[in-house]
Amino acid sequence: MEHMKMGNYSPVTKFILVGLSQYPGFQFFLFMLCLIMYMIILLGNSLLIIISILDSRLHTPMYFFFGNLSFLDICYTSSSIPPMLIIFSSETKSISFIGCALQMVVSLGFGCTECVLLAVMAYDRYVAICNPLRYPIIMNRMLYVHMAAWSWIIGYLTSLLQKVMTMILPFCGNNVIDHLTCELLALLKLICSDITINVIIMTMANIVILVIPLLLIFISYVFILSSILRINSAEGRKKTFTCSAHLTVVILFYGSALFMYMKPKSKDTNTSDEVTGLFYGVVTLMLNLIIYSLRNKGNKEVKEAMKKALRKYLHLLKS
């Protein structure tokens, strides 16, 4: 009987995204705000990547991870903000079934990868501060490249599994997503069959991607802080300054992620969920760039590298 009932529904070929559409007066404001933040993220992170590649002084594990994080932020926002801008400026606010599936797997994959990468960066800071003499030996090129690669692999395997297990289920003609993007939780609310397995998989993924990396970060910082407290000098304060940028990014990123994926679920999406999604997917990534640019200990090194690249560029123009 249930299968006959489900058979009355036509298959979904597109989705309608209606997130924050209850505030039509804010659509242009949101469009401009997201556009400005996207341009800052795109230009700022691209510049950091180019500088870290061109200047040999920045060919270190820390800047390698920074480069990966910058690339992640560019790709993550590029998978969600351009479609979001179209939705803010369009009357139809629709996206194809395939487009929605691709957006979900890409954005979720980048988000999961960033969670793992932040834990890897915490380990890098732990080795640099607690074992400074052995740092070049422990964090050799093979190790830090493999650590970054496994961050990408774990992030995307987790995302692909959740995407496949969601998109194969019947939506039964229900194609209105009460969100700004094709977000996993919003899509699960549209499915008309049992999603127990999906909830179990998502819970396990949250443990692997959110809880375990956060626990590893916490343990790393316990050792880092205990090591710093034993150094009563300017060097100790300098090392504290080094970790403050990473720790601030961790709090912002994991705080919004935990609020989205670990809180009790309700069938209806409220405005706080949509605003949190916007903060998690756009604002946090822009703050990542600002925090690492202003509070990172290598800020002076980056500025010098930028000046060197600019002088070289101006010299080429003159010649």
Side-chain angles (χ1 to χ4, degrees):
M1 185 74 180
E2 184 181 351
H3 290 290
M4 290 176 63
K5 199 171 189 179
M6 287 169 57
N8 295 330
Y9 293 97
S10 58
V12 171
T13 58
K14 67 177 181 179
F15 292 98
I16 310 297
L17 296 159
V18 296
L20 296 177
S21 59
Q22 66 269 38
Y23 306 106
F26 284 95
Q27 297 296 301
F28 179 73
F29 171 76
L30 291 171
F31 175 88
M32 293 304 300
L33 184 65
C34 289
L35 179 62
I36 291 168
M37 288 191 289
Y38 179 54
M39 294 305 296
I40 292 171
I41 292 168
L42 197 63
L43 295 174
N45 283 299
S46 298
L47 185 60
L48 283 177
I49 292 170
I50 293 168
I51 292 298
S52 63
I53 292 172
L54 293 178
D55 198 304
S56 58
R57 292 173 299 176
L58 304 183
H59 293 176
T60 63
M62 183 176 74
Y63 284 104
F64 178 76
F65 292 134
F66 282 169
N68 272 264
L69 188 65
S70 293
F71 183 70
L72 266 173
D73 289 350
I74 289 171
C75 295
Y76 185 86
T77 50
S78 295
S79 69
S80 58
I81 296 183
M84 203 183 295
L85 294 175
I86 294 171
I87 290 167
F88 285 141
S89 59
S90 172
E91 293 293 329
T92 55
K93 303 183 184 299
S94 64
I95 185 172
S96 67
F97 184 90
I98 295 175
C100 187
L102 285 173
Q103 186 188 78
M104 186 182 79
V105 72
V106 170
S107 60
L108 185 61
F110 287 127
C112 292
T113 302
E114 184 151 342
C115 288
V116 181
L117 187 64
L118 287 171
V120 167
M121 292 172 74
Y123 175 75
D124 173 68
R125 292 298 85 209
Y126 158 73
V127 177
I129 292 172
C130 298
N131 296 281
L133 297 178
R134 298 184 60 204
Y135 179 74
I137 300 170
I138 297 173
M139 291 301 295
N140 58 73
R141 183 176 178 81
M142 181 175 289
L143 178 64
Y144 68 73
V145 169
H146 275 80
M147 290 171 76
W150 276 107
S151 298
W152 286 86
I153 292 168
I154 293 170
Y156 260 89
L157 284 178
T158 305
S159 168
L160 191 61
L161 175 62
Q162 293 188 81
K163 176 258 178 183
V164 171
M165 293 303 295
T166 300
M167 302 310 282
I168 60 173
L169 294 176
F171 290 92
C172 304
N174 190 3
N175 69 337
V176 179
I177 301 175
D178 193 7
H179 211 275
L180 293 165
T181 59
C182 290
E183 199 267 332
L184 176 63
L185 294 177
L187 280 169
L188 285 175
K189 293 175 183 178
L190 304 183
I191 293 170
C192 58
S193 63
D194 184 32
I195 60 168
T196 303
I197 295 176
N198 298 75
V199 172
I200 293 171
I201 291 173
M202 187 172 66
T203 303
M204 292 173 64
N206 287 340
I207 293 171
V208 172
I209 297 298
L210 290 174
V211 179
I212 293 176
L214 192 58
L215 183 62
L216 292 174
I217 292 169
F218 175 77
I219 294 170
S220 296
Y221 272 98
V222 168
F223 286 107
I224 288 170
L225 291 174
S226 63
S227 177
I228 289 172
L229 289 174
R230 290 196 295 267
I231 308 172
N232 296 318
S233 64
E235 184 187 353
R237 290 191 294 273
K238 187 178 179 181
K239 288 183 176 181
T240 307
F241 206 62
T242 304
C243 298
S244 62
H246 177 261
L247 194 57
T248 306
V249 169
V250 166
I251 292 169
L252 286 170
F253 190 82
Y254 275 94
S256 53
L258 288 169
F259 181 82
M260 282 182 64
Y261 292 102
M262 300 295 283
K263 70 172 187 175
K265 306 298 183 294
S266 63
K267 194 69 178 172
D268 298 322
T269 303
N270 53 45
T271 303
S272 66
D273 294 326
E274 296 166 10
V275 173
T276 303
L278 188 64
F279 183 85
Y280 173 73
V282 183
V283 180
T284 302
L285 303 186
M286 187 188 70
L287 291 176
N288 284 1
L289 175 65
I290 295 171
I291 291 164
Y292 275 122
S293 297
L294 296 179
R295 301 190 65 182
N296 174 31
K297 87 171 182 69
N299 187 32
K300 186 178 178 181
E301 296 172 3
V302 174
K303 284 182 179 179
E304 289 175 356
M306 288 176 66
K307 288 177 183 177
K308 182 181 175 182
L310 186 60
R311 282 196 298 267
K312 189 179 290 187
Y313 176 73
L314 291 173
H315 178 73
L316 289 172
L317 285 179
K318 289 178 181 178
S319 59

